[in-house]
Amino acid sequence: MPVIEVEPGINMHYEDRGIGAPIVFIHGWGGSADAWDLQVLDLAHHYRCITVDLRGHGDSDKPWGDYTYDLFVRDLHVLIEKLGLDAVTLVGWSMGGHIALKYAHEHCKATDEPPTLKLRYGNEFTPEDKEMLKAATWKSKAPDQDKWWASAVTKAKDASSPKTSKKS
C-alpha cells in the first residue's frame, strides 16, 4: 500500500491507478478511498486516478489531535507536490468537495486564465461532466440519487468552461 509522509511520522495512504491526466478523488467524513472504486474502474483506462485516505480515515495514520479543513488541505498539497502532479482535477464528495474548494482557493496559481471551477448538483451536470463521472451514482442506490448527490470538480489549469451555475 503506497503512503506519503505528510508530516514527520504521519503517513497518508493513497492508491494510484491508470494513465493520463491526473484526477485526485477525495472522500467525505468517515469515508475512505474505497468509496471511489467504481469511478476508478470506469475512468482508469483514460485518466490517472488517485484516491486518498485522508488523515484519520481508512488506512492512513490516525494521530491524536484536531482534524481541520486546513490540515486536510495541507496533507492534500503534500500529496500533489510529492507525486509531481500538474493540472490536476480534484473530485470531492461531501466533505471532500469542501476540501477541493479550499485547496483551489489556496493553491491555484495565478495565471493569465483563472482556474475553472465546476459545481454541479443533480441534473446540472454537463455532458462532459457526466462522461467523466458516469460511475458516480452507485447502482445499489435509488435511481433519483443524483437529486441530492453533489460533487465539486476543480480543474486547476483547464479554461474549457468558465461559466458558473447558481442555485435559486
Side-chain angles (χ1 to χ4, degrees):
M1 290 185 197
V3 296
I4 284 190
E5 189 174 49
V6 292
E7 273 183 18
I10 309 286
N11 290 316
M12 183 166 73
H13 171 260
Y14 71 98
E15 293 288 334
D16 191 343
R17 296 165 281 190
I19 56 172
I23 303 173
V24 175
F25 294 90
I26 310 162
H27 62 78
W29 182 257
S32 71
D34 295 342
W36 299 105
D37 284 349
L38 295 176
Q39 291 77 14
V40 171
L41 285 173
D42 275 358
L43 298 173
H45 301 294
H46 304 288
Y47 297 94
R48 180 179 176 190
C49 298
I50 300 158
T51 56
V52 300
D53 282 337
L54 295 171
R55 181 190 301 223
H57 296 79
D59 291 326
S60 290
D61 289 345
K62 298 166 183 65
W64 185 258
D66 293 334
Y67 291 89
T68 65
Y69 284 108
D70 289 333
L71 181 67
F72 293 135
V73 168
R74 278 196 313 270
D75 289 351
L76 180 62
H77 186 65
V78 170
L79 175 100
I80 288 171
E81 291 289 310
K82 286 189 175 181
L83 292 180
L85 303 178
D86 191 35
V88 65
T89 297
L90 301 178
V91 176
W93 175 66
S94 189
M95 180 185 75
H98 294 281
I99 294 167
L101 290 171
K102 186 167 177 56
Y103 183 90
H105 175 74
E106 294 179 7
H107 294 285
C108 285
K109 296 174 184 155
T111 61
D112 293 338
E113 297 180 26
T116 298
L117 179 61
K118 295 181 181 179
L119 297 178
R120 299 290 186 258
Y121 296 89
N123 61 2
E124 294 177 358
F125 286 104
T126 65
E128 179 183 276
D129 293 334
K130 286 181 181 179
E131 180 61 30
M132 188 176 82
L133 300 172
K134 67 183 175 182
T137 302
W138 288 266
K139 295 182 176 42
S140 62
K141 299 289 183 182
D144 64 346
Q145 177 183 10
D146 64 343
K147 290 181 183 172
W148 57 265
W149 183 83
S151 80
V153 178
T154 305
K155 292 187 178 182
K157 290 186 177 179
D158 178 8
S160 65
S161 176
K163 69 179 182 177
T164 59
S165 173
K166 293 185 179 179
K167 297 287 288 181
S168 50

PDB file of all heavy atoms in Angstrom, residues 38-74:
ATOM      1  N   LEU A  38     -15.704   2.312  -7.843  1.00  0.00           N
ATOM      2  CA  LEU A  38     -16.468   2.202  -9.091  1.00  0.00           C
ATOM      3  C   LEU A  38     -16.077   3.270 -10.100  1.00  0.00           C
ATOM      4  O   LEU A  38     -16.000   3.002 -11.309  1.00  0.00           O
ATOM      5  CB  LEU A  38     -17.975   2.274  -8.807  1.00  0.00           C
ATOM      6  CG  LEU A  38     -18.541   1.116  -7.995  1.00  0.00           C
ATOM      7  CD1 LEU A  38     -20.018   1.338  -7.698  1.00  0.00           C
ATOM      8  CD2 LEU A  38     -18.339  -0.205  -8.714  1.00  0.00           C
ATOM      9  N   GLN A  39     -15.806   4.480  -9.627  1.00  0.00           N
ATOM     10  CA  GLN A  39     -15.381   5.536 -10.532  1.00  0.00           C
ATOM     11  C   GLN A  39     -14.026   5.208 -11.150  1.00  0.00           C
ATOM     12  O   GLN A  39     -13.823   5.384 -12.348  1.00  0.00           O
ATOM     13  CB  GLN A  39     -15.302   6.884  -9.793  1.00  0.00           C
ATOM     14  CG  GLN A  39     -16.631   7.441  -9.383  1.00  0.00           C
ATOM     15  CD  GLN A  39     -17.218   6.773  -8.152  1.00  0.00           C
ATOM     16  OE1 GLN A  39     -16.545   6.043  -7.420  1.00  0.00           O
ATOM     17  NE2 GLN A  39     -18.492   7.010  -7.920  1.00  0.00           N
ATOM     18  N   VAL A  40     -13.126   4.708 -10.315  1.00  0.00           N
ATOM     19  CA  VAL A  40     -11.788   4.375 -10.804  1.00  0.00           C
ATOM     20  C   VAL A  40     -11.857   3.256 -11.840  1.00  0.00           C
ATOM     21  O   VAL A  40     -11.170   3.309 -12.867  1.00  0.00           O
ATOM     22  CB  VAL A  40     -10.849   4.019  -9.634  1.00  0.00           C
ATOM     23  CG1 VAL A  40      -9.523   3.472 -10.133  1.00  0.00           C
ATOM     24  CG2 VAL A  40     -10.627   5.247  -8.752  1.00  0.00           C
ATOM     25  N   LEU A  41     -12.706   2.266 -11.623  1.00  0.00           N
ATOM     26  CA  LEU A  41     -12.851   1.185 -12.603  1.00  0.00           C
ATOM     27  C   LEU A  41     -13.251   1.729 -13.973  1.00  0.00           C
ATOM     28  O   LEU A  41     -12.769   1.260 -15.005  1.00  0.00           O
ATOM     29  CB  LEU A  41     -13.882   0.166 -12.134  1.00  0.00           C
ATOM     30  CG  LEU A  41     -13.435  -0.781 -11.026  1.00  0.00           C
ATOM     31  CD1 LEU A  41     -14.623  -1.614 -10.539  1.00  0.00           C
ATOM     32  CD2 LEU A  41     -12.310  -1.680 -11.494  1.00  0.00           C
ATOM     33  N   ASP A  42     -14.132   2.704 -13.993  1.00  0.00           N
ATOM     34  CA  ASP A  42     -14.569   3.285 -15.265  1.00  0.00           C
ATOM     35  C   ASP A  42     -13.552   4.243 -15.865  1.00  0.00           C
ATOM     36  O   ASP A  42     -13.444   4.350 -17.078  1.00  0.00           O
ATOM     37  CB  ASP A  42     -15.891   4.036 -15.082  1.00  0.00           C
ATOM     38  CG  ASP A  42     -17.095   3.139 -15.190  1.00  0.00           C
ATOM     39  OD1 ASP A  42     -16.912   1.933 -15.451  1.00  0.00           O
ATOM     40  OD2 ASP A  42     -18.211   3.645 -15.006  1.00  0.00           O
ATOM     41  N   LEU A  43     -12.826   4.971 -15.032  1.00  0.00           N
ATOM     42  CA  LEU A  43     -12.003   6.075 -15.527  1.00  0.00           C
ATOM     43  C   LEU A  43     -10.526   5.756 -15.719  1.00  0.00           C
ATOM     44  O   LEU A  43      -9.837   6.461 -16.453  1.00  0.00           O
ATOM     45  CB  LEU A  43     -12.142   7.275 -14.588  1.00  0.00           C
ATOM     46  CG  LEU A  43     -13.544   7.855 -14.473  1.00  0.00           C
ATOM     47  CD1 LEU A  43     -13.590   8.922 -13.391  1.00  0.00           C
ATOM     48  CD2 LEU A  43     -13.998   8.416 -15.804  1.00  0.00           C
ATOM     49  N   ALA A  44     -10.017   4.715 -15.083  1.00  0.00           N
ATOM     50  CA  ALA A  44      -8.575   4.443 -15.118  1.00  0.00           C
ATOM     51  C   ALA A  44      -8.052   4.099 -16.510  1.00  0.00           C
ATOM     52  O   ALA A  44      -6.849   4.154 -16.740  1.00  0.00           O
ATOM     53  CB  ALA A  44      -8.219   3.338 -14.128  1.00  0.00           C
ATOM     54  N   HIS A  45      -8.947   3.770 -17.431  1.00  0.00           N
ATOM     55  CA  HIS A  45      -8.497   3.490 -18.804  1.00  0.00           C
ATOM     56  C   HIS A  45      -8.068   4.762 -19.521  1.00  0.00           C
ATOM     57  O   HIS A  45      -7.317   4.694 -20.496  1.00  0.00           O
ATOM     58  CB  HIS A  45      -9.606   2.811 -19.602  1.00  0.00           C
ATOM     59  CG  HIS A  45     -10.063   1.525 -19.003  1.00  0.00           C
ATOM     60  ND1 HIS A  45      -9.261   0.416 -18.918  1.00  0.00           N
ATOM     61  CD2 HIS A  45     -11.235   1.176 -18.415  1.00  0.00           C
ATOM     62  CE1 HIS A  45      -9.913  -0.562 -18.322  1.00  0.00           C
ATOM     63  NE2 HIS A  45     -11.128  -0.123 -18.004  1.00  0.00           N
ATOM     64  N   HIS A  46      -8.542   5.920 -19.049  1.00  0.00           N
ATOM     65  CA  HIS A  46      -8.267   7.175 -19.739  1.00  0.00           C
ATOM     66  C   HIS A  46      -7.644   8.235 -18.843  1.00  0.00           C
ATOM     67  O   HIS A  46      -7.170   9.250 -19.335  1.00  0.00           O
ATOM     68  CB  HIS A  46      -9.555   7.743 -20.333  1.00  0.00           C
ATOM     69  CG  HIS A  46     -10.239   6.789 -21.243  1.00  0.00           C
ATOM     70  ND1 HIS A  46      -9.758   6.478 -22.499  1.00  0.00           N
ATOM     71  CD2 HIS A  46     -11.353   6.039 -21.081  1.00  0.00           C
ATOM     72  CE1 HIS A  46     -10.560   5.597 -23.065  1.00  0.00           C
ATOM     73  NE2 HIS A  46     -11.533   5.314 -22.229  1.00  0.00           N
ATOM     74  N   TYR A  47      -7.678   8.019 -17.522  1.00  0.00           N
ATOM     75  CA  TYR A  47      -7.172   9.001 -16.573  1.00  0.00           C
ATOM     76  C   TYR A  47      -6.297   8.324 -15.527  1.00  0.00           C
ATOM     77  O   TYR A  47      -6.474   7.149 -15.216  1.00  0.00           O
ATOM     78  CB  TYR A  47      -8.328   9.702 -15.839  1.00  0.00           C
ATOM     79  CG  TYR A  47      -9.230  10.486 -16.749  1.00  0.00           C
ATOM     80  CD1 TYR A  47     -10.389   9.915 -17.266  1.00  0.00           C
ATOM     81  CD2 TYR A  47      -8.933  11.801 -17.097  1.00  0.00           C
ATOM     82  CE1 TYR A  47     -11.225  10.627 -18.112  1.00  0.00           C
ATOM     83  CE2 TYR A  47      -9.764  12.515 -17.939  1.00  0.00           C
ATOM     84  CZ  TYR A  47     -10.904  11.936 -18.442  1.00  0.00           C
ATOM     85  OH  TYR A  47     -11.717  12.638 -19.269  1.00  0.00           O
ATOM     86  N   ARG A  48      -5.383   9.091 -14.969  1.00  0.00           N
ATOM     87  CA  ARG A  48      -4.613   8.629 -13.815  1.00  0.00           C
ATOM     88  C   ARG A  48      -5.466   8.939 -12.584  1.00  0.00           C
ATOM     89  O   ARG A  48      -5.676  10.108 -12.247  1.00  0.00           O
ATOM     90  CB  ARG A  48      -3.279   9.363 -13.745  1.00  0.00           C
ATOM     91  CG  ARG A  48      -2.424   8.955 -12.585  1.00  0.00           C
ATOM     92  CD  ARG A  48      -1.103   9.711 -12.588  1.00  0.00           C
ATOM     93  NE  ARG A  48      -0.326   9.372 -11.411  1.00  0.00           N
ATOM     94  CZ  ARG A  48       0.767  10.010 -11.053  1.00  0.00           C
ATOM     95  NH1 ARG A  48       1.233  11.016 -11.797  1.00  0.00           N
ATOM     96  NH2 ARG A  48       1.416   9.651  -9.967  1.00  0.00           N
ATOM     97  N   CYS A  49      -5.992   7.931 -11.944  1.00  0.00           N
ATOM     98  CA  CYS A  49      -6.924   8.080 -10.827  1.00  0.00           C
ATOM     99  C   CYS A  49      -6.192   7.857  -9.504  1.00  0.00           C
ATOM    100  O   CYS A  49      -5.671   6.767  -9.263  1.00  0.00           O
ATOM    101  CB  CYS A  49      -8.074   7.091 -10.956  1.00  0.00           C
ATOM    102  SG  CYS A  49      -9.059   7.328 -12.443  1.00  0.00           S
ATOM    103  N   ILE A  50      -6.187   8.878  -8.676  1.00  0.00           N
ATOM    104  CA  ILE A  50      -5.513   8.807  -7.384  1.00  0.00           C
ATOM    105  C   ILE A  50      -6.578   8.979  -6.307  1.00  0.00           C
ATOM    106  O   ILE A  50      -7.259  10.001  -6.258  1.00  0.00           O
ATOM    107  CB  ILE A  50      -4.434   9.897  -7.269  1.00  0.00           C
ATOM    108  CG1 ILE A  50      -3.408   9.697  -8.396  1.00  0.00           C
ATOM    109  CG2 ILE A  50      -3.777   9.859  -5.893  1.00  0.00           C
ATOM    110  CD1 ILE A  50      -2.631  10.926  -8.744  1.00  0.00           C
ATOM    111  N   THR A  51      -6.733   7.958  -5.484  1.00  0.00           N
ATOM    112  CA  THR A  51      -7.684   8.023  -4.382  1.00  0.00           C
ATOM    113  C   THR A  51      -6.889   8.127  -3.089  1.00  0.00           C
ATOM    114  O   THR A  51      -5.825   7.510  -2.958  1.00  0.00           O
ATOM    115  CB  THR A  51      -8.601   6.790  -4.348  1.00  0.00           C
ATOM    116  OG1 THR A  51      -7.798   5.601  -4.271  1.00  0.00           O
ATOM    117  CG2 THR A  51      -9.479   6.724  -5.588  1.00  0.00           C
ATOM    118  N   VAL A  52      -7.384   8.912  -2.152  1.00  0.00           N
ATOM    119  CA  VAL A  52      -6.659   9.121  -0.896  1.00  0.00           C
ATOM    120  C   VAL A  52      -7.522   8.716   0.293  1.00  0.00           C
ATOM    121  O   VAL A  52      -8.745   8.797   0.244  1.00  0.00           O
ATOM    122  CB  VAL A  52      -6.216  10.591  -0.727  1.00  0.00           C
ATOM    123  CG1 VAL A  52      -5.295  11.018  -1.848  1.00  0.00           C
ATOM    124  CG2 VAL A  52      -7.404  11.531  -0.632  1.00  0.00           C
ATOM    125  N   ASP A  53      -6.854   8.258   1.331  1.00  0.00           N
ATOM    126  CA  ASP A  53      -7.459   8.116   2.648  1.00  0.00           C
ATOM    127  C   ASP A  53      -6.968   9.332   3.424  1.00  0.00           C
ATOM    128  O   ASP A  53      -5.781   9.416   3.751  1.00  0.00           O
ATOM    129  CB  ASP A  53      -6.992   6.841   3.360  1.00  0.00           C
ATOM    130  CG  ASP A  53      -7.664   5.582   2.864  1.00  0.00           C
ATOM    131  OD1 ASP A  53      -8.769   5.673   2.298  1.00  0.00           O
ATOM    132  OD2 ASP A  53      -7.084   4.498   3.047  1.00  0.00           O
ATOM    133  N   LEU A  54      -7.849  10.265   3.687  1.00  0.00           N
ATOM    134  CA  LEU A  54      -7.447  11.439   4.449  1.00  0.00           C
ATOM    135  C   LEU A  54      -6.917  11.022   5.817  1.00  0.00           C
ATOM    136  O   LEU A  54      -7.262   9.954   6.333  1.00  0.00           O
ATOM    137  CB  LEU A  54      -8.643  12.389   4.624  1.00  0.00           C
ATOM    138  CG  LEU A  54      -9.193  13.003   3.345  1.00  0.00           C
ATOM    139  CD1 LEU A  54     -10.501  13.725   3.638  1.00  0.00           C
ATOM    140  CD2 LEU A  54      -8.180  13.947   2.708  1.00  0.00           C
ATOM    141  N   ARG A  55      -6.122  11.865   6.402  1.00  0.00           N
ATOM    142  CA  ARG A  55      -5.604  11.627   7.746  1.00  0.00           C
ATOM    143  C   ARG A  55      -6.769  11.303   8.685  1.00  0.00           C
ATOM    144  O   ARG A  55      -7.815  11.954   8.652  1.00  0.00           O
ATOM    145  CB  ARG A  55      -4.896  12.884   8.236  1.00  0.00           C
ATOM    146  CG  ARG A  55      -4.296  12.758   9.609  1.00  0.00           C
ATOM    147  CD  ARG A  55      -3.824  14.088  10.136  1.00  0.00           C
ATOM    148  NE  ARG A  55      -2.821  14.709   9.282  1.00  0.00           N
ATOM    149  CZ  ARG A  55      -1.724  15.305   9.741  1.00  0.00           C
ATOM    150  NH1 ARG A  55      -1.502  15.369  11.040  1.00  0.00           N
ATOM    151  NH2 ARG A  55      -0.868  15.856   8.918  1.00  0.00           N
ATOM    152  N   GLY A  56      -6.599  10.248   9.470  1.00  0.00           N
ATOM    153  CA  GLY A  56      -7.644   9.844  10.400  1.00  0.00           C
ATOM    154  C   GLY A  56      -8.698   8.941   9.789  1.00  0.00           C
ATOM    155  O   GLY A  56      -9.654   8.565  10.455  1.00  0.00           O
ATOM    156  N   HIS A  57      -8.528   8.568   8.532  1.00  0.00           N
ATOM    157  CA  HIS A  57      -9.516   7.760   7.811  1.00  0.00           C
ATOM    158  C   HIS A  57      -8.823   6.584   7.120  1.00  0.00           C
ATOM    159  O   HIS A  57      -7.648   6.650   6.783  1.00  0.00           O
ATOM    160  CB  HIS A  57     -10.211   8.604   6.741  1.00  0.00           C
ATOM    161  CG  HIS A  57     -11.012   9.741   7.282  1.00  0.00           C
ATOM    162  ND1 HIS A  57     -10.432  10.916   7.689  1.00  0.00           N
ATOM    163  CD2 HIS A  57     -12.341   9.872   7.470  1.00  0.00           C
ATOM    164  CE1 HIS A  57     -11.384  11.737   8.108  1.00  0.00           C
ATOM    165  NE2 HIS A  57     -12.556  11.123   7.987  1.00  0.00           N
ATOM    166  N   GLY A  58      -9.592   5.539   6.890  1.00  0.00           N
ATOM    167  CA  GLY A  58      -9.091   4.401   6.114  1.00  0.00           C
ATOM    168  C   GLY A  58      -7.779   3.865   6.644  1.00  0.00           C
ATOM    169  O   GLY A  58      -7.602   3.651   7.842  1.00  0.00           O
ATOM    170  N   ASP A  59      -6.826   3.666   5.727  1.00  0.00           N
ATOM    171  CA  ASP A  59      -5.525   3.105   6.084  1.00  0.00           C
ATOM    172  C   ASP A  59      -4.473   4.159   6.407  1.00  0.00           C
ATOM    173  O   ASP A  59      -3.307   3.831   6.596  1.00  0.00           O
ATOM    174  CB  ASP A  59      -5.020   2.209   4.953  1.00  0.00           C
ATOM    175  CG  ASP A  59      -5.849   0.941   4.808  1.00  0.00           C
ATOM    176  OD1 ASP A  59      -6.331   0.434   5.837  1.00  0.00           O
ATOM    177  OD2 ASP A  59      -6.019   0.467   3.668  1.00  0.00           O
ATOM    178  N   SER A  60      -4.859   5.433   6.436  1.00  0.00           N
ATOM    179  CA  SER A  60      -3.911   6.490   6.808  1.00  0.00           C
ATOM    180  C   SER A  60      -3.725   6.515   8.315  1.00  0.00           C
ATOM    181  O   SER A  60      -4.541   5.982   9.078  1.00  0.00           O
ATOM    182  CB  SER A  60      -4.420   7.858   6.331  1.00  0.00           C
ATOM    183  OG  SER A  60      -4.344   7.941   4.927  1.00  0.00           O
ATOM    184  N   ASP A  61      -2.638   7.157   8.738  1.00  0.00           N
ATOM    185  CA  ASP A  61      -2.376   7.281  10.169  1.00  0.00           C
ATOM    186  C   ASP A  61      -3.489   8.089  10.837  1.00  0.00           C
ATOM    187  O   ASP A  61      -4.133   8.934  10.210  1.00  0.00           O
ATOM    188  CB  ASP A  61      -1.024   7.953  10.411  1.00  0.00           C
ATOM    189  CG  ASP A  61       0.142   7.040  10.049  1.00  0.00           C
ATOM    190  OD1 ASP A  61      -0.078   5.819   9.893  1.00  0.00           O
ATOM    191  OD2 ASP A  61       1.270   7.550   9.922  1.00  0.00           O
ATOM    192  N   LYS A  62      -3.684   7.800  12.112  1.00  0.00           N
ATOM    193  CA  LYS A  62      -4.759   8.423  12.883  1.00  0.00           C
ATOM    194  C   LYS A  62      -4.184   9.030  14.161  1.00  0.00           C
ATOM    195  O   LYS A  62      -4.495   8.592  15.266  1.00  0.00           O
ATOM    196  CB  LYS A  62      -5.839   7.394  13.202  1.00  0.00           C
ATOM    197  CG  LYS A  62      -6.490   6.831  11.942  1.00  0.00           C
ATOM    198  CD  LYS A  62      -7.301   5.579  12.236  1.00  0.00           C
ATOM    199  CE  LYS A  62      -7.879   4.984  10.974  1.00  0.00           C
ATOM    200  NZ  LYS A  62      -6.890   4.478  10.036  1.00  0.00           N
ATOM    201  N   PRO A  63      -3.366  10.078  14.019  1.00  0.00           N
ATOM    202  CA  PRO A  63      -2.772  10.679  15.207  1.00  0.00           C
ATOM    203  C   PRO A  63      -3.817  11.429  16.032  1.00  0.00           C
ATOM    204  O   PRO A  63      -4.838  11.868  15.515  1.00  0.00           O
ATOM    205  CB  PRO A  63      -1.732  11.644  14.636  1.00  0.00           C
ATOM    206  CG  PRO A  63      -2.277  12.017  13.295  1.00  0.00           C
ATOM    207  CD  PRO A  63      -2.971  10.779  12.794  1.00  0.00           C
ATOM    208  N   TRP A  64      -3.533  11.556  17.314  1.00  0.00           N
ATOM    209  CA  TRP A  64      -4.411  12.305  18.203  1.00  0.00           C
ATOM    210  C   TRP A  64      -4.325  13.783  17.837  1.00  0.00           C
ATOM    211  O   TRP A  64      -3.268  14.295  17.502  1.00  0.00           O
ATOM    212  CB  TRP A  64      -3.970  12.104  19.648  1.00  0.00           C
ATOM    213  CG  TRP A  64      -4.902  12.764  20.607  1.00  0.00           C
ATOM    214  CD1 TRP A  64      -4.693  13.947  21.244  1.00  0.00           C
ATOM    215  CD2 TRP A  64      -6.177  12.300  21.011  1.00  0.00           C
ATOM    216  NE1 TRP A  64      -5.778  14.240  22.026  1.00  0.00           N
ATOM    217  CE2 TRP A  64      -6.715  13.239  21.902  1.00  0.00           C
ATOM    218  CE3 TRP A  64      -6.930  11.171  20.707  1.00  0.00           C
ATOM    219  CZ2 TRP A  64      -7.952  13.100  22.488  1.00  0.00           C
ATOM    220  CZ3 TRP A  64      -8.174  11.027  21.291  1.00  0.00           C
ATOM    221  CH2 TRP A  64      -8.660  11.983  22.181  1.00  0.00           C
ATOM    222  N   GLY A  65      -5.439  14.490  17.861  1.00  0.00           N
ATOM    223  CA  GLY A  65      -5.428  15.927  17.597  1.00  0.00           C
ATOM    224  C   GLY A  65      -6.644  16.354  16.812  1.00  0.00           C
ATOM    225  O   GLY A  65      -7.558  15.560  16.543  1.00  0.00           O
ATOM    226  N   ASP A  66      -6.679  17.621  16.453  1.00  0.00           N
ATOM    227  CA  ASP A  66      -7.788  18.185  15.693  1.00  0.00           C
ATOM    228  C   ASP A  66      -7.640  17.847  14.212  1.00  0.00           C
ATOM    229  O   ASP A  66      -6.533  17.892  13.661  1.00  0.00           O
ATOM    230  CB  ASP A  66      -7.834  19.706  15.850  1.00  0.00           C
ATOM    231  CG  ASP A  66      -8.188  20.141  17.262  1.00  0.00           C
ATOM    232  OD1 ASP A  66      -8.855  19.352  17.969  1.00  0.00           O
ATOM    233  OD2 ASP A  66      -7.802  21.253  17.649  1.00  0.00           O
ATOM    234  N   TYR A  67      -8.751  17.526  13.587  1.00  0.00           N
ATOM    235  CA  TYR A  67      -8.793  17.272  12.148  1.00  0.00           C
ATOM    236  C   TYR A  67      -9.585  18.418  11.533  1.00  0.00           C
ATOM    237  O   TYR A  67     -10.798  18.485  11.663  1.00  0.00           O
ATOM    238  CB  TYR A  67      -9.460  15.920  11.863  1.00  0.00           C
ATOM    239  CG  TYR A  67      -8.621  14.752  12.312  1.00  0.00           C
ATOM    240  CD1 TYR A  67      -8.733  14.235  13.594  1.00  0.00           C
ATOM    241  CD2 TYR A  67      -7.705  14.184  11.452  1.00  0.00           C
ATOM    242  CE1 TYR A  67      -7.951  13.171  14.007  1.00  0.00           C
ATOM    243  CE2 TYR A  67      -6.918  13.117  11.858  1.00  0.00           C
ATOM    244  CZ  TYR A  67      -7.045  12.613  13.124  1.00  0.00           C
ATOM    245  OH  TYR A  67      -6.265  11.565  13.528  1.00  0.00           O
ATOM    246  N   THR A  68      -8.868  19.318  10.877  1.00  0.00           N
ATOM    247  CA  THR A  68      -9.484  20.523  10.328  1.00  0.00           C
ATOM    248  C   THR A  68      -9.353  20.549   8.811  1.00  0.00           C
ATOM    249  O   THR A  68      -8.531  19.826   8.230  1.00  0.00           O
ATOM    250  CB  THR A  68      -8.811  21.783  10.900  1.00  0.00           C
ATOM    251  OG1 THR A  68      -7.441  21.808  10.450  1.00  0.00           O
ATOM    252  CG2 THR A  68      -8.843  21.793  12.427  1.00  0.00           C
ATOM    253  N   TYR A  69     -10.145  21.422   8.185  1.00  0.00           N
ATOM    254  CA  TYR A  69     -10.016  21.593   6.738  1.00  0.00           C
ATOM    255  C   TYR A  69      -8.611  22.062   6.383  1.00  0.00           C
ATOM    256  O   TYR A  69      -8.035  21.613   5.385  1.00  0.00           O
ATOM    257  CB  TYR A  69     -11.055  22.582   6.207  1.00  0.00           C
ATOM    258  CG  TYR A  69     -12.442  22.008   6.122  1.00  0.00           C
ATOM    259  CD1 TYR A  69     -13.438  22.394   7.002  1.00  0.00           C
ATOM    260  CD2 TYR A  69     -12.759  21.074   5.147  1.00  0.00           C
ATOM    261  CE1 TYR A  69     -14.711  21.857   6.929  1.00  0.00           C
ATOM    262  CE2 TYR A  69     -14.027  20.536   5.060  1.00  0.00           C
ATOM    263  CZ  TYR A  69     -15.000  20.924   5.952  1.00  0.00           C
ATOM    264  OH  TYR A  69     -16.255  20.379   5.871  1.00  0.00           O
ATOM    265  N   ASP A  70      -8.043  22.962   7.167  1.00  0.00           N
ATOM    266  CA  ASP A  70      -6.685  23.426   6.896  1.00  0.00           C
ATOM    267  C   ASP A  70      -5.700  22.256   6.895  1.00  0.00           C
ATOM    268  O   ASP A  70      -4.820  22.179   6.030  1.00  0.00           O
ATOM    269  CB  ASP A  70      -6.241  24.463   7.935  1.00  0.00           C
ATOM    270  CG  ASP A  70      -6.960  25.794   7.773  1.00  0.00           C
ATOM    271  OD1 ASP A  70      -7.382  26.120   6.647  1.00  0.00           O
ATOM    272  OD2 ASP A  70      -7.092  26.514   8.786  1.00  0.00           O
ATOM    273  N   LEU A  71      -5.856  21.354   7.842  1.00  0.00           N
ATOM    274  CA  LEU A  71      -4.975  20.188   7.931  1.00  0.00           C
ATOM    275  C   LEU A  71      -5.145  19.274   6.720  1.00  0.00           C
ATOM    276  O   LEU A  71      -4.159  18.847   6.105  1.00  0.00           O
ATOM    277  CB  LEU A  71      -5.259  19.421   9.222  1.00  0.00           C
ATOM    278  CG  LEU A  71      -4.405  18.180   9.475  1.00  0.00           C
ATOM    279  CD1 LEU A  71      -2.953  18.582   9.727  1.00  0.00           C
ATOM    280  CD2 LEU A  71      -4.949  17.415  10.666  1.00  0.00           C
ATOM    281  N   PHE A  72      -6.389  18.987   6.346  1.00  0.00           N
ATOM    282  CA  PHE A  72      -6.633  18.124   5.187  1.00  0.00           C
ATOM    283  C   PHE A  72      -6.083  18.752   3.907  1.00  0.00           C
ATOM    284  O   PHE A  72      -5.520  18.064   3.054  1.00  0.00           O
ATOM    285  CB  PHE A  72      -8.122  17.829   5.025  1.00  0.00           C
ATOM    286  CG  PHE A  72      -8.711  16.991   6.131  1.00  0.00           C
ATOM    287  CD1 PHE A  72      -9.927  17.332   6.694  1.00  0.00           C
ATOM    288  CD2 PHE A  72      -8.074  15.856   6.594  1.00  0.00           C
ATOM    289  CE1 PHE A  72     -10.494  16.559   7.703  1.00  0.00           C
ATOM    290  CE2 PHE A  72      -8.618  15.066   7.601  1.00  0.00           C
ATOM    291  CZ  PHE A  72      -9.838  15.425   8.164  1.00  0.00           C
ATOM    292  N   VAL A  73      -6.235  20.075   3.760  1.00  0.00           N
ATOM    293  CA  VAL A  73      -5.727  20.759   2.568  1.00  0.00           C
ATOM    294  C   VAL A  73      -4.197  20.710   2.551  1.00  0.00           C
ATOM    295  O   VAL A  73      -3.598  20.474   1.496  1.00  0.00           O
ATOM    296  CB  VAL A  73      -6.253  22.214   2.497  1.00  0.00           C
ATOM    297  CG1 VAL A  73      -5.509  23.024   1.451  1.00  0.00           C
ATOM    298  CG2 VAL A  73      -7.757  22.207   2.206  1.00  0.00           C
ATOM    299  N   ARG A  74      -3.557  20.903   3.694  1.00  0.00           N
ATOM    300  CA  ARG A  74      -2.094  20.791   3.744  1.00  0.00           C
ATOM    301  C   ARG A  74      -1.641  19.401   3.330  1.00  0.00           C
ATOM    302  O   ARG A  74      -0.693  19.240   2.554  1.00  0.00           O
ATOM    303  CB  ARG A  74      -1.575  21.114   5.155  1.00  0.00           C
ATOM    304  CG  ARG A  74      -1.437  22.581   5.442  1.00  0.00           C
ATOM    305  CD  ARG A  74      -0.566  22.877   6.660  1.00  0.00           C
ATOM    306  NE  ARG A  74      -0.848  22.075   7.841  1.00  0.00           N
ATOM    307  CZ  ARG A  74      -1.717  22.413   8.794  1.00  0.00           C
ATOM    308  NH1 ARG A  74      -2.382  23.535   8.717  1.00  0.00           N
ATOM    309  NH2 ARG A  74      -1.893  21.619   9.831  1.00  0.00           N
TER     310      ARG A  74
END
